[in-house]
Amino acid sequence: MKTLTKDYPLQLSGDDSPIVRFQNVTKRYGELVVLDALDLDVAEGEMVTIIGPSGSGKTTVLRMLMALEKIDDGVIYVNGEPMTHMEKNGALVRASKKHLRQQRTNIGMCFQHFNLFPHMTALENCIEAPIQVLGLSKKEACQRAEELLDMVGMLEKCHEHPARLSGGQKQRVAIARSLAMRPKVMLFDEVTSALDPEVIGEVTQVIRKLVAKHNLTMLMVTHQMGFAKEISDRVCFFFDGKIEEQGSSSQLFDNPQKERTQQFLSAVLEAG
Amino acid sequence: MFDWRWEFVWQILPRLLEATGNTLLAAGFGYVIALVLGLVFALAQRSHFKPLTFATRETVEFIRSTPLVLQIFFVFYVGPQFGIMLSPWTAGMIAIGLHYASYLSEVYRAGIDSVPKGQWEAAMSLSLGPVRTYSKIIIPQAIPTAFAGMGNYLVGIFKDTPMLSVIGVAELMHTANSIGSEYYRFLEPYTMVGIIFLLISLPTASLLRRTEDRIRKKIGLRSR
Ligand SMILES: Nc1ncnc2c1ncn2[C@@H]1O[C@H](COP(=O)(O)OP(=O)(O)O)[C@@H](O)[C@H]1O
Ligand SMILES: [Mg+2]
């Protein structure tokens, strides 16, 4: 792949530089353009929510930032450094596997279907990567995991396997597992969509706590408009792999400017 | 009508039992080789290095499409022409180990493929490297699926050990043949060999079935 030049800085500098920057990011699956020259900045400590119709590329944004797949064009910066690329002889070239693995430690991700490791207990799920990747001792890792499991209200169940936990409990363990890596940015992809209505609250409560107590940067994809409105610093409405409209929650929910945003919001509000 | 002689049975039983030891040793040793090498084949076929993937896939396909007995002869008799002299045991273990490794690699592959994509992504999102991802996340979950196939091939390799008699490994079949030609009586030795195989195969198969369920429970997966 060609090296990228002048349009993309080798690093972001300045006090107001964002912790996450998507610059001109394109992702295709064959002919299908899923992200279309996307630009998106997220400031440190900001809670950004992504809403939009199914298939508009919301999950893809998070997956690209987690470096689960390669992007086709553009650069993603994390913490001022290029993540999808790295510097070589004064130009940006595609990141090596090692660079990607290193960069991923800045990001944590929670999935719609939890993706807990079923053969490990809740605690084992939370200590595996801190020991292997961060080099913590087992004792340190357990201590950190227990604190986090306590924070999400799962300490009593820490020796249970996922099969014995409810959906809400699994998702709380999954959040603790991601946090145990001390990421700078947390990604939540519809973390309540697979849950029964009566347990959604226990997961959103954990996210509220994170927003209130920690200066974490978060990107959240959700269909819960009420929760999004309450908690977000900024809301981005996605349509066809682009940000159709964005603004503070009151701007976007109470006074949407674009027609597509209005249609989407009235459709979801009607659906309840 | 049968001319079955019990005193002959008692006379040859010690030799047959000794040979049973060799049969078990051959099956066990061959199986261990096949288990390890099969995993190497399976992982090589998943590597991102295309020539390795291609070479492994072709080798596995080749071994699977040719008879075991030919492979045994080949390793034992063709090796010396290239200056590789192998004892019957060594040649036999190489041949049977390679043969079953190629079958087991497919079993492993199916097991690995049965692990949901989300597990890979979770491992990736936690920055786990490939070695850890395979050894701690993927393979432990692949084993319950692979276990049934692995068990079948354990019984299979055991039942295929008589093929080693063709190059003179002193296992059960070879011993029964020798007894037969020494005494000109084949009924008792061959019948006894059949009974011994049955007495080992059947309980092993049922033990494997029960173990499969235990493993699934132990690693926290629901039993099938
Ligand atoms: N691995 C893939 N291969 C092909 N198409 C994909 C793949 N992943 C996602 N897509 C397509 O990309 C589009 C956006 O997907 P996604 O980001 O999951 O949407 P959203 O999360 O907004 O519902 C969809 O049309 C989807 O079918
Ligand atoms: Mg989605």
Side-chain angles (χ1 to χ4, degrees):
Chain A
M1 135 135 196
K2 60 187 190 300
T3 56
L4 298 165
T5 43
K6 45 198 180 299
D7 303 341
Y8 298 96
L10 296 180
Q11 60 186 62
L12 309 180
S13 49
D15 286 344
D16 56 347
S17 71
I19 189 158
V20 171
R21 165 168 289 175
F22 282 69
Q23 186 171 340
N24 193 34
V25 171
T26 297
K27 174 68 187 175
R28 295 185 205 96
Y29 290 110
E31 295 287 285
L32 182 70
V33 179
V34 180
L35 296 183
D36 187 4
L38 176 71
D39 291 319
L40 171 66
D41 279 7
V42 181
E44 185 153 14
E46 199 180 10
M47 168 57 136
V48 174
T49 299
I50 298 172
I51 61 171
S54 174
S56 58
K58 307 180 297 296
T59 296
T60 306
V61 173
L62 302 191
R63 287 170 50 82
M64 297 307 118
L65 183 49
M66 191 65 254
L68 295 178
E69 277 179 66
K70 292 194 175 110
I71 56 176
D72 295 298
D73 202 2
V75 177
I76 301 175
Y77 297 86
V78 174
N79 212 20
E81 305 275 323
M83 179 197 83
T84 51
H85 293 73
M86 54 192 199
E87 192 197 327
K88 196 175 178 186
N89 305 326
L92 288 181
V93 297
R94 243 193 212 295
S96 64
K97 281 191 177 138
K98 192 174 156 216
H99 180 80
L100 284 177
R101 201 145 79 228
Q102 164 64 37
Q103 291 290 312
R104 281 192 198 105
T105 58
N106 289 317
I107 319 268
M109 180 159 181
C110 294
F111 304 86
Q112 184 174 351
H113 297 286
F114 332 121
N115 299 354
L116 288 178
F117 305 132
H119 56 301
M120 298 181 180
T121 64
L123 185 70
E124 287 164 351
N125 264 278
C126 297
I127 62 174
E128 181 65 26
I131 292 174
Q132 296 307 327
V133 180
L134 305 180
L136 264 58
S137 71
K138 184 159 186 205
K139 197 170 150 225
E140 292 167 319
C142 283
Q143 197 180 349
R144 181 184 284 193
E146 280 162 7
E147 268 168 36
L148 288 165
L149 286 168
D150 191 29
M151 196 268 291
V152 301
M154 287 298 296
L155 190 55
E156 323 84 273
K157 302 246 177 199
C158 74
H159 296 299
E160 296 284 6
H161 279 87
R164 303 195 39 147
L165 302 176
S166 73
Q169 293 174 329
K170 282 185 211 171
Q171 196 58 284
R172 287 187 280 150
V173 172
I175 293 174
R177 178 177 71 174
S178 297
L179 291 173
M181 293 297 283
R182 298 258 195 273
K184 296 193 169 68
V185 181
M186 273 292 281
L187 312 179
F188 297 98
D189 187 16
E190 295 197 30
V191 289
T192 56
S193 292
L195 302 180
D196 292 332
E198 70 272 17
V199 298
I200 287 177
E202 57 190 59
V203 173
T204 50
Q205 200 50 42
V206 168
I207 297 176
R208 274 194 197 94
K209 216 161 157 181
L210 286 178
V211 171
K213 295 223 177 92
H214 303 265
N215 190 35
L216 256 179
T217 309
M218 295 189 240
L219 259 119
M220 176 172 85
V221 174
T222 186
H223 287 302
Q224 292 177 271
M225 296 302 149
F227 183 54
K229 185 174 177 184
E230 163 207 330
I231 205 164
S232 313
D233 296 316
R234 178 153 55 108
V235 181
C236 299
F237 172 67
F238 261 66
F239 195 89
D240 262 359
K242 281 205 186 84
I243 298 176
E244 176 85 4
E245 182 171 357
Q246 58 179 316
S248 68
S249 16
S250 51
Q251 276 169 353
L252 198 107
F253 285 111
D254 300 335
N255 195 12
Q257 299 300 308
K258 298 277 182 73
E259 200 184 328
R260 280 182 182 139
T261 320
Q262 293 161 359
Q263 281 170 354
F264 174 77
L265 287 175
S266 61
V268 279
L269 290 180
E270 210 159 294
Chain B
M1 117 145 231
F2 285 138
D3 173 26
W4 177 268
R5 297 195 190 151
W6 282 105
E7 72 281 4
F8 184 54
V9 170
W10 304 132
Q11 184 192 339
I12 64 173
L13 194 60
R15 277 176 77 183
L16 289 176
L17 289 180
E18 199 188 321
T20 306
N22 280 346
T23 287
L24 289 175
L25 206 64
F29 211 64
Y31 193 59
V32 170
I33 295 175
L35 281 179
V36 175
L37 209 58
L39 187 60
V40 173
F41 284 171
L43 296 182
Q45 284 190 68
R46 294 185 70 94
S47 101
H48 293 293
F49 183 55
K50 285 278 143 50
L52 179 65
T53 312
F54 178 78
T56 317
R57 201 175 49 229
E58 293 304 306
T59 308
V60 165
E61 202 46 48
F62 174 75
I63 295 175
R64 280 157 51 96
S65 335
T66 51
L68 172 59
V69 70
L70 174 69
Q71 291 161 12
I72 293 173
F73 275 130
F74 204 88
V75 174
F76 187 60
Y77 290 111
V78 180
Q81 293 197 354
F82 297 93
I84 308 167
M85 301 289 279
L86 298 171
S87 71
W89 267 96
T90 313
M93 291 301 91
I94 291 175
I96 215 166
L98 266 174
H99 186 83
Y100 275 90
S102 68
Y103 281 95
L104 278 168
S105 76
E106 293 296 306
V107 169
Y108 287 133
R109 246 166 44 126
I112 290 172
D113 287 346
S114 75
V115 179
K117 192 164 134 256
Q119 293 291 307
W120 293 93
E121 295 189 341
M124 226 171 170
S125 78
L126 294 167
S127 307
L128 289 170
V131 175
R132 275 279 138 181
T133 301
Y134 271 111
S135 67
K136 295 283 285 203
I137 311 299
I138 303 302
I139 290 175
Q141 294 183 66
I143 292 211
T145 306
F147 191 85
M150 291 164 73
N152 286 344
Y153 286 124
L154 173 61
V155 177
I157 208 169
F158 172 66
K159 288 194 298 184
D160 268 355
T161 49
M163 300 223 188
L164 297 174
S165 65
V166 297
I167 54 168
V169 174
E171 47 65 67
L172 264 174
M173 196 63 199
H174 188 265
T175 306
N177 282 337
S178 314
I179 292 172
S181 43
E182 279 168 42
Y183 296 94
Y184 302 105
R185 287 196 63 80
F186 291 93
L187 174 65
E188 291 86 354
Y190 285 161
T191 307
M192 291 306 292
V193 168
I195 290 172
I196 291 172
F197 268 97
L198 210 63
L199 286 179
I200 296 174
S201 290
L202 287 182
T204 307
S206 102
L207 183 72
L208 286 169
R209 268 196 303 278
R210 272 176 289 148
T211 311
E212 184 188 350
D213 231 40
R214 272 226 312 279
I215 288 186
R216 297 185 75 87
K217 283 212 191 81
K218 181 154 177 238
I219 74 159
L221 297 178
R222 286 186 190 88
S223 58
R224 270 192 279 216

